[in-house]
Amino acid sequence: MAKKKGDEKVNQTIHSDNEEQNFDEEPNFDDSEGFVDDIQDEELLADLLEQKPKESDGYENVIVVDGCPQVGPERLEKLQSVINKIFGKFGTIVNEYYPTTENGLTTGYIFLEYSNPQNAAEAVTATNNCKLDKQHTFLVNLFTDFKKYENIPAEWEPPAPQPFKVQSDLQWYLMDPDAYDQFLVGIGTGVGLQVWQNALPEPTLLQERPNWTETYAVWSPLGTYLATFHWRGVALWAGPKFTQFQKFYHPEARFISFSPCENYIVTFSPAGDRGDDKKLIIWDIRTGQEKRSFPPPDEYVTWPIFRWSKDDRFFARLGTDVLSVYETPGFGLLDKKSIKIPGIRDFCWSPTDNVLAYWVAEEKDVPARVTLLEIPNRAETRSKNLFSVADCKIHWQKSGDYLCVKVDRYSKLKKDKNELKYSGMYYNFEIFHMREKEVPVDSVEIKEPIQAFAWEPVGSKFAIIHGDQANVQVSFYQVNTGQAPTLLKKLAGSFNHVFWSPQGQFVVLANFGLTGGALEFLDTNDFTIMNVADHYQMSGIEWDPTGRYVVTGVSSLKCKMDCGYYIWSFQGKILRRVMKEGFAQFHWRPRPPTLLSEKQQKDIKKNLKKYYPQFESKDRMRSTKASKELVAKRTEQMKRHREYRETKQREWADQRARRLELRGYVDTDADTAAAAGDGNAVEEVVEFFVKEEQTVID
């Protein structure tokens, strides 16, 4: 039955009225009779209950600092400044409270509130038992510690055993049975680093990571850590997997230096964001804590700014007419004052004793002076006056037995406005015998310009490269007891650098420069020239710690072509050529000093022939192993080839019926086999190098 339009309007109106009536009625939310609510608030409102304020909120952010100086209102502002400077580096201090007595004096303890508990915990760990001065030591605790110590149970309960955490072996590289050394290769700037083991017959890649550093990388003095540079600071890597051992937050750090015993590291950032007094920082390597910061130098100085004593007990810094010596672990000035030395120009620590040598420039009628100073008693053990001095360079022998001071002297001095011009230059080498009574001094004079000087690390010889560019000579001297040094040998050659083996005796003479690259390998026992070679445009030379290998390299930072490095034997035989695009740096991993006494080392050298058969046996086994590996590789390749050929022959046989069908049942396989045996097959003989032996015929 059809509906009328009027009926539709009436139905719509009635429906609307019903809806209005339903909305006007209030809903009933009452529980039905017998209803039991078994849902806990924690299940229903867990996320909201977590945000519910607690009475103890904020207590974890508060620390209590005891041991503060008690000061009056006139010094309160200064105390607040010192406290904020010390504790502000751990986070933002949002509130502070300094209780006072009736007389207005501070009580000696204060309350500091940080923005989060992590900052408060870090402040407690870093500053507890830290000395503010000689009379005040901070005792720092969390505010929540009071409640914890109040609720100590009357009966002691043994603590639950903690799971043992295996610490990475930091000296693992010294345990190699064949005593192979390691070296670091840097590819490009901020691209990647490679760590290799100098194994035989071929070096083995231990670790390779792209973007491991942003600028360059360096080993620590004893080889324990590898330091890399990043925008946020410096990172140290150690262990067999080179895991991150420590990191130091110092944005845009550009230079670092380690203390000799690897207890501390110094970082310098010329454009950091931590303020002017945070550009030069000393850190504890083990804990990662900042020990002390220093303002940047007022004028240009050479790096490292701080120079360490051999045992990490002291470090010193050169200033204007002062020498500041600091002591560890307090990092304060030795005897709370610097050493006033008017006219001091340079200084250097002995590598084996807490003795430093410094020189003072001449002033009017007062001559220049070289002085040996013992630390910490500040006793002068030796001093020598020098006349007509333009400059001095201090060179300690690695064993600390001798000290050489290269003195640049002049015959005439002319003052031109604010500049001094010297003429008639000649050079003296003052040799101090450190192990002899009253430290006698010998002198060697050379008239020609000096190109280079170097001590024999273990021994009593030194080398001097002198002369004009057209007539360069290398002179070797022997230091003697009770008499002047003796000239052993004088060689001619266009060299400007000398590199001694770490073990002494052997030396490499080199010529650096745009057109340089000449090398000469020399045995200073009888001055035999073992080899003469060349590495065009080389930019660096480095001996390995054992003195068995030498590396020459061409860095991409100097030259964009033929970048790479060569590995030589100490006799000058080329062992390996590695060409790498973007090659930037090469560093052997240092080794710590030997644990053997001098007597034990002498006994080993004396009885070295007894060990020859053992070493030769290892060499033969290594050579045989290399040959066996090569033969096994060839055998495996031949086996795979035969298996592949047999597979194809079976496929050929299975397809015979199909071939006959396609060829009209004409068998052509016999013709193909005959052609293959009719001289068309080609046999190739491949020869490969297994071993090379040289026999000297008298």
Side-chain angles (χ1 to χ4, degrees):
M1 181 178 177
K3 292 184 180 180
K4 297 180 181 180
K5 294 183 179 179
D7 295 338
E8 293 179 0
K9 293 181 180 180
V10 173
N11 292 335
Q12 292 178 0
T13 302
I14 295 173
H15 182 68
S16 300
D17 293 340
N18 292 335
E19 288 183 350
E20 291 179 0
Q21 293 177 2
N22 293 335
F23 283 126
D24 291 340
E25 295 180 2
E26 294 183 0
N28 184 11
F29 293 104
D30 294 337
D31 296 332
S32 60
E33 294 183 3
F35 175 79
V36 178
D37 187 2
D38 57 353
I39 302 178
Q40 301 294 329
D41 291 343
E42 288 75 9
E43 300 180 18
L44 188 63
L45 305 172
D47 54 342
L48 295 179
L49 290 177
E50 290 180 358
Q51 304 174 12
K52 180 181 178 180
K54 302 176 183 177
E55 184 180 357
S56 61
D57 279 355
Y59 289 173
E60 297 87 353
N61 304 359
V62 179
I63 64 173
V64 183
V65 183
D66 198 1
C68 298
Q70 296 181 347
V71 298
E74 68 280 359
R75 299 183 60 189
L76 179 59
E77 185 177 352
K78 183 177 181 181
L79 175 62
Q80 291 174 338
S81 176
V82 173
I83 293 297
N84 289 332
K85 182 178 180 181
I86 295 175
F87 291 90
K89 60 186 177 182
F90 302 105
T92 303
I93 299 176
V94 297
N95 195 8
E96 57 184 17
Y97 176 58
Y98 291 75
T100 57
T101 63
E102 296 178 355
N103 299 329
L105 294 176
T106 58
T107 57
Y109 59 88
I110 60 175
F111 299 87
L112 301 177
E113 181 181 357
Y114 286 92
S115 58
N116 58 69
Q118 292 77 17
N119 294 342
E122 183 181 358
V124 171
T125 304
T127 59
N128 189 34
N129 291 320
C130 179
K131 283 189 176 182
L132 177 63
D133 54 35
K134 189 175 182 180
Q135 298 177 349
H136 298 90
T137 301
F138 288 138
L139 299 176
V140 188
N141 291 279
L142 291 171
F143 188 79
T144 54
D145 289 345
F146 290 95
K147 186 175 181 180
K148 179 177 67 175
Y149 295 136
E150 285 177 355
N151 299 328
I152 296 178
E155 296 182 1
W156 178 80
E157 295 182 2
Q162 299 294 325
F164 176 72
K165 295 182 179 180
V166 179
Q167 185 181 11
S168 178
D169 185 7
L170 301 183
Q171 277 73 40
W172 64 278
Y173 62 98
L174 300 175
M175 304 302 293
D176 185 80
D178 294 316
Y180 290 137
D181 281 292
Q182 298 177 10
F183 57 85
L184 173 73
V185 176
I187 309 299
T189 302
V191 176
L193 298 175
Q194 298 174 344
V195 180
W196 294 79
Q197 187 176 49
N198 192 34
L200 294 176
E202 295 291 334
T204 305
L205 181 62
L206 300 179
Q207 196 72 230
E208 180 178 16
R209 298 180 190 175
N211 303 317
W212 201 348
T213 182
E214 295 182 9
T215 52
Y216 62 99
V218 292
W219 294 107
S220 58
L222 303 181
T224 307
Y225 310 106
L226 175 65
T228 58
F229 293 80
H230 309 273
W231 178 84
R232 297 178 61 84
V234 177
L236 298 185
W237 310 82
K241 301 297 183 181
F242 287 93
T243 54
Q244 188 177 92
F245 178 81
Q246 198 60 264
K247 57 182 178 181
F248 308 99
Y249 177 73
H250 199 181
E252 300 185 34
R254 292 291 178 266
F255 303 99
I256 65 171
S257 63
F258 288 88
S259 62
C261 299
E262 298 183 344
N263 292 317
Y264 307 102
I265 183 173
V266 184
T267 61
F268 176 68
S269 174
D273 63 354
R274 301 185 58 165
D276 291 340
D277 60 340
K278 293 291 186 179
K279 293 185 178 180
L280 189 61
I281 304 176
I282 302 180
W283 309 81
D284 187 293
I285 290 180
R286 287 285 181 176
T287 63
Q289 295 180 4
E290 176 184 328
K291 305 305 292 185
R292 183 170 177 181
S293 62
F294 294 83
D298 297 331
E299 56 187 12
Y300 174 78
V301 294
T302 58
W303 185 262
I305 297 176
F306 294 114
R307 304 175 191 178
W308 294 83
S309 64
K310 56 97 179 181
D311 55 1
D312 287 8
R313 286 183 59 197
F314 308 99
F315 61 97
R317 178 181 186 178
L318 185 66
T320 303
D321 296 335
V322 295
L323 180 63
S324 301
V325 181
Y326 302 85
E327 57 183 344
T328 60
F331 291 87
L333 279 171
L334 180 64
D335 297 335
K336 295 189 178 298
K337 59 182 179 179
S338 298
I339 305 173
K340 294 183 178 180
I341 309 175
I344 184 173
R345 291 293 184 268
D346 196 13
F347 77 98
C348 189
W349 287 95
S350 166
T352 56
D353 304 287
N354 285 336
V355 175
L356 56 82
Y358 68 87
W359 78 278
V360 177
E362 60 185 6
E363 180 67 25
K364 296 181 180 180
D365 297 332
V366 180
R369 186 176 78 257
V370 176
T371 304
L372 299 177
L373 188 68
E374 286 187 352
I375 299 297
N377 55 16
R378 306 190 182 192
E380 293 187 3
T381 57
R382 187 67 163 88
S383 181
K384 182 173 183 179
N385 294 333
L386 303 169
F387 298 90
S388 302
V389 176
D391 192 17
C392 289
K393 299 294 182 185
I394 301 174
H395 302 274
W396 282 96
Q397 189 218 25
K398 184 179 179 181
S399 302
D401 298 333
Y402 305 101
L403 167 68
C404 174
V405 180
K406 172 181 167 289
V407 184
D408 299 356
R409 291 187 167 177
Y410 60 88
S411 300
K412 294 182 180 180
L413 173 62
K414 181 180 179 181
K415 294 185 178 180
D416 186 5
K417 296 182 179 179
N418 295 329
E419 295 183 1
L420 298 177
K421 294 186 177 180
Y422 305 100
S423 60
M425 299 295 296
Y426 62 101
Y427 307 90
N428 277 25
F429 293 86
E430 307 293 335
I431 309 297
F432 291 73
H433 298 248
M434 299 299 299
R435 307 303 182 195
E436 298 182 30
K437 187 177 181 180
E438 296 183 354
V439 191
V441 182
D442 294 324
S443 182
V444 175
E445 181 176 316
I446 294 181
K447 300 293 185 181
E448 298 91 356
I450 305 300
Q451 304 290 338
F453 172 90
W455 278 106
E456 183 182 20
V458 181
S460 56
K461 295 190 284 289
F462 61 88
I464 304 174
I465 301 179
H466 55 91
D468 299 324
Q469 295 294 334
N471 184 26
V472 177
Q473 293 181 320
V474 185
S475 298
F476 291 89
Y477 288 85
Q478 173 76 47
V479 180
N480 305 303
T481 302
Q483 56 182 343
T486 306
L487 178 63
L488 299 178
K489 190 72 173 181
K490 184 177 289 188
L491 303 173
S494 57
F495 305 109
N496 51 25
H497 286 77
V498 55
F499 298 90
W500 284 94
S501 165
Q503 307 303 323
Q505 181 178 347
F506 303 103
V507 69
V508 175
L509 304 176
N511 181 11
F512 288 169
L514 296 177
T515 59
L519 295 167
E520 191 166 289
F521 296 81
L522 192 67
D523 183 352
T524 60
N525 271 0
D526 53 7
F527 293 96
T528 301
I529 299 177
M530 298 180 291
N531 191 23
V532 176
D534 182 86
H535 191 175
Y536 182 64
Q537 290 190 340
M538 65 179 173
S539 56
I541 295 179
E542 187 170 341
W543 283 89
D544 84 311
T546 65
R548 292 180 293 177
Y549 303 98
V550 186
V551 168
T552 60
V554 178
S555 173
S556 60
L557 303 178
K558 174 187 175 183
C559 178
K560 300 301 180 183
M561 298 179 61
D562 299 330
C563 300
Y565 60 91
Y566 294 176
I567 300 181
W568 312 74
S569 70
F570 71 96
Q571 298 168 318
K573 179 182 178 181
I574 185 69
L575 302 177
R576 183 174 175 83
R577 291 183 176 92
V578 180
M579 309 307 295
K580 285 185 176 291
E581 183 179 356
F583 168 77
Q585 62 175 144
F586 184 103
H587 293 298
W588 290 101
R589 187 168 194 171
R591 284 178 172 267
T594 178
L595 300 178
L596 300 177
S597 63
E598 292 187 4
K599 182 179 181 302
Q600 290 173 322
Q601 295 181 54
K602 289 181 180 179
D603 292 342
I604 292 175
K605 292 180 180 179
K606 182 179 179 180
N607 302 318
L608 195 58
K609 292 183 178 180
K610 296 181 180 179
Y611 302 101
Y612 281 163
Q614 178 182 351
F615 296 147
E616 290 177 355
S617 175
K618 280 193 172 183
D619 290 340
R620 284 195 300 269
M621 292 175 60
R622 189 180 295 113
S623 177
T624 304
K625 180 180 178 182
S627 301
K628 288 182 177 179
E629 290 177 354
L630 188 57
V631 171
K633 181 179 178 181
R634 296 275 182 171
T635 303
E636 181 64 23
Q637 290 177 343
M638 178 59 71
K639 180 181 178 181
R640 291 199 302 268
H641 170 71
R642 288 175 177 171
E643 292 176 352
Y644 175 81
R645 184 174 181 180
E646 291 174 357
T647 301
K648 294 303 177 182
Q649 286 178 344
R650 287 194 297 269
E651 292 179 1
W652 175 266
D654 295 340
Q655 296 171 357
R656 174 176 173 78
R658 179 58 176 165
R659 286 197 303 275
L660 291 174
E661 182 181 353
L662 293 175
R663 297 171 183 174
Y665 296 96
V666 177
D667 188 4
T668 59
D669 292 351
D671 298 336
T672 303
D678 197 19
N680 293 329
V682 178
E683 181 180 358
E684 180 180 0
V685 179
V686 179
E687 297 181 356
F688 56 90
F689 178 80
V690 175
K691 185 178 181 182
E692 179 182 8
E693 293 184 354
Q694 294 183 357
T695 304
V696 180
I697 302 176
D698 298 332

